[in-house]
Amino acid sequence: MVAAAKGRGVIFGEEGFGRQIEQFRTELFAYCYRMLGSVHDAEDVVQETCLRAWRARESYDEKRGSVRTWLYRIATNACLTALKSRGGRALPSGLVAESDPLAPLVPGEHAWLQPVPDSLLGDPAATVIGRSSLRLAFASALQHLSARQRGALILRDVLSFSASETAEILDATVASVNSSLQRARARLKETGVRQEPAEPSAAEQRVWVERYLKAFELADVEALKRLITEDVLMEMPPMLNWFTGRGNYGLFMDWVFDVAGKDWLLRETTANGGQPGFAAYQRAGDGYRLHTLQILTVTAEGISRNSVFQDPEIFEAFGLPSAIS
């Protein structure tokens, strides 16, 4: 996308202004992802933001605010417009009641929250992107808020814009922004959104993940159960099914290996600012066929959440081959 834009000379026609816009592209993408919950939609809105900024460059007034604030205002307007027509996204655990682990899988006609590959985020530690605010659990929690509440919460609590800057970005008054922020915080508490414990160190997390992958490849359900927390949550968009509990997890994985076989090939990846994950390839003839992308939440007590995705658009975003020989 960047290369295409550069080839057309859209945002690079005047190098100085183009560079000012481009340096914010990654953090704008992270912001739009939080707002929209979709990798593809976020990429489109960021591209639209850059185009709008370039076309309106002569109207930019540095006395009214920084280039960064101006760009966030353009991006926010584009996100709010997109949300009016497309609505929010969710995960099954925030949409329907918990199901029996052995109940038939039921596909849901819904726009699902998507994970974002870390390859699109650069280095969150080196930017204002913020790792924890990109986690799937937080991105899912944001879907319980109205569009403007979501914007106020992200701009103030995540990106640390001042109340006046946020008001400028949202084209609102400071009083309105403060009110939206209070309602957003209260709404998150009311929904009872599951709060994940603090993450372990990178080395400790690595141990949990390596053991889980090994147990999965061996189809060792008892080993998997020893690596998950007592209240582990599993969900599987686009299926509506989701459940909690170590025992239920074991029942479901027994069923998976009985139905789909015990010969798997796994490829590791990371998503949402460092969450570990893997692509699971199921044996198919002489090779392996892509089955799911699984994103793990790891705590000091074990793996507390497994979000399992089966969506060609997500597979494409992560650059996963459909088959491996």
Side-chain angles (χ1 to χ4, degrees), residues 156 160-169 172-175 177-178 181:
R156 293 286 283 122
S160 299
F161 279 103
S162 69
S164 59
E165 288 172 325
T166 302
E168 171 69 18
I169 291 169
T173 64
V174 170
V177 165
N178 289 336
L181 182 59

Side-chain angles (χ1 to χ4, degrees), residues 149 152-153 156-157 176-186:
Q149 289 173 358
L153 185 78
R156 293 286 283 122
D157 286 358
S176 175
V177 165
N178 289 336
S179 177
S180 291
L181 182 59
Q182 289 176 358
R183 289 197 300 271
R185 290 169 176 167

